[in-house]
Amino acid sequence: MSINIGEISVPDLPLFFTMFLTIYLIAYFIVFRNWKPQIRPEASSCLISIFHGTPAVFLATRAVFSSSSRTFASANTAAQNTVLDFSVAYFLTDLLHYIVFNPSDVLFIGHHLATLFVFLTCRFLVFHGACAILGLLILAEVTSACQNAWTLAGARKSDPDSRLAVKVYHLLSPPFYAFYSIVRGVLGPLFFVKMVSFYARGGAHGVIPNWLWISWAIVVGTAITVSILWIWNLWIDLFRERKANQLGHDKKIR
């Protein structure tokens, strides 16, 4: 797919990549220029995530439900390919962010490379399966807006000049954790099981090779497991913090 700008036809992927890279640079050099140097890159990453996450949910939902064929083996439509290009561009930009600013963060770098493998093979290798991949994208990004607000507040909460960030962080934590737990801990696994069952029964025979859908299943299954462990640890930290605060409050009363 391509977008026409005047008389020039520009492919989606380079155009979206340029857009996300521009947003990142504006965030880093203008929007967050007064933030501490150590948190400016993370904040800039959050901003491009905001521009990707919620729009991707709406675009992917529209692309999937506007198709007349919505099985996990259906041929990709033009609209679905555009959403895949949109997400590939975002993950490429964010991957550059990690390579430049956090090269030791092998977990996120590995996550982004694995995600790009899934998107790129669906988009440019087999040209099928976008309904499955975009379904997973919807579940992955529906919590994005809340997560990015929580992350930005968390990045600033240690700054003594930002009391609002502390309030926002503590206010958002419980509902964000609950929302994330439902999506990643319940809906995600259910969708994953449905997808793997479809492929294991031979539903994509002849259009998606076994090695590829198995690779997708490994990537997605690993991502879901890591997400569940991450949110589980956040819940533990939250309860520990509240318990410590309660003990401190009780001591003051005595």
Side-chain angles (χ1 to χ4, degrees), residues 4 17 19 32-33 38 57 68 88 97 126 159 184 219 248:
N4 294 324
F17 177 75
M19 180 191 77
F32 302 115
R33 67 182 183 279
Q38 59 268 33
V57 171
S68 57
V88 166
H97 152 77
V126 292
D159 189 340
R184 300 294 184 96
V219 170

Side-chain angles (χ1 to χ4, degrees), residues 12 19 30 32 39 42 49 56 64 77 102 104 128 138 155 169 195 200:
D12 288 343
M19 180 191 77
I30 299 176
F32 302 115
I39 61 175
E42 182 181 10
S49 181
V64 169
T77 66
N102 298 294
S104 61
H128 289 73
I138 292 167
Y169 180 83
M195 182 188 83

Side-chain angles (χ1 to χ4, degrees), residues 21-204:
L21 184 60
T22 301
I23 293 171
Y24 186 94
L25 294 174
I26 291 173
Y28 188 85
F29 290 107
I30 299 176
V31 178
F32 302 115
R33 67 182 183 279
N34 295 324
W35 287 33
K36 293 180 179 179
Q38 59 268 33
I39 61 175
R40 281 172 65 193
E42 182 181 10
S44 302
S45 175
C46 280
L47 192 64
I48 62 169
S49 181
I50 290 171
F51 275 87
H52 168 257
T54 302
V57 171
F58 287 107
L59 291 172
T61 302
R62 184 174 182 273
V64 169
F65 286 99
S66 64
S67 173
S68 57
S69 179
R70 293 192 290 271
T71 74
F72 292 154
S74 299
N76 301 351
T77 66
Q80 291 166 1
N81 282 336
T82 297
V83 182
L84 289 171
D85 287 341
F86 182 71
S87 290
V88 166
Y90 160 72
F91 279 103
L92 281 174
T93 308
D94 209 42
L95 178 62
L96 286 177
H97 152 77
Y98 279 101
I99 291 174
V100 172
F101 292 105
N102 298 294
S104 61
D105 196 341
V106 294
L107 181 62
F108 267 94
I109 290 174
H111 168 269
H112 281 25
L113 287 172
T115 302
L116 284 168
F117 166 78
V118 173
F119 286 146
L120 289 171
T121 52
C122 175
R123 171 70 175 89
F124 296 106
L125 181 63
V126 292
F127 312 105
H128 289 73
C131 284
I133 303 308
L134 294 184
L136 292 167
L137 177 66
I138 292 167
L139 291 171
E141 297 296 345
V142 73
T143 60
S144 176
C146 188
Q147 182 173 350
N148 282 301
W150 174 82
T151 302
L152 286 171
R156 294 288 316 266
K157 69 184 179 70
S158 59
D159 189 340
D161 296 328
S162 184
R163 296 179 181 178
L164 177 61
V166 177
K167 292 181 180 179
V168 171
Y169 180 83
H170 289 297
L171 182 66
L172 278 180
S173 289
F176 164 58
Y177 294 176
F179 185 29
Y180 192 96
S181 297
I182 293 170
V183 174
R184 300 294 184 96
V186 180
L187 300 181
L190 288 175
F191 188 92
F192 173 71
V193 169
K194 183 177 180 180
M195 182 188 83
V196 171
S197 298
F198 175 87
Y199 290 138
R201 291 194 305 268

